[in-house]
Amino acid sequence: MKVMENDFELLAKSKNDKANLSTALRKLREKGATQMESVKVVKRALEISLREADKIVRTSDVWKDKEEATDKLRNTFWDTLDSLD
């Protein structure tokens, strides 16, 4: 997924504006960006930590439909790692 410069600029300008952030995330998803790609772009554009970017994307209205599946996958991953001890 190639992020267009105007997508990046829109995200960078939306740091304190949830409506613009949502619009930018929606555009990224419509262009085929995955959740992980969106996190990477948000992290870079807003100059925030990976954890913060992940939370923004995962809990956004744009990606809300994937939040439960993402949480389940992560929990399964950590449970599997714990069981290896």
Side-chain angles (χ1 to χ4, degrees):
M1 193 338 253
K2 183 175 179 174
V3 178
M4 304 305 287
E5 194 61 35
N6 57 345
D7 297 326
F8 186 80
E9 289 174 10
L10 182 57
L11 272 164
K13 291 177 184 176
S14 66
K15 191 167 191 170
N16 296 313
D17 185 347
K18 284 192 172 190
N20 280 341
L21 180 59
S22 183
T23 298
L25 287 172
R26 187 167 314 286
K27 285 182 179 184
L28 286 172
R29 189 167 185 188
E30 287 170 356
K31 289 180 180 183
T34 65
Q35 193 172 7
M36 185 178 292
E37 289 168 331
S38 296
V39 169
K40 288 171 26 179
V41 172
V42 168
K43 179 188 180 306
R44 185 173 150 234
L46 301 183
E47 299 177 338
I48 58 177
S49 72
L50 183 59
R51 180 177 287 228
E52 291 171 302
D54 179 65
K55 184 177 180 182
I56 287 170
V57 172
R58 198 169 42 84
T59 61
S60 70
D61 289 339
V62 176
W63 287 100
K64 197 70 170 168
D65 63 316
K66 301 292 183 185
E67 184 178 15
E68 186 176 327
T70 299
D71 289 344
K72 184 177 179 179
L73 176 66
R74 289 176 181 185
N75 289 336
T76 300
F77 173 79
W78 291 115
D79 290 345
T80 300
L81 281 181
D82 286 343
S83 72
L84 297 176
D85 290 338

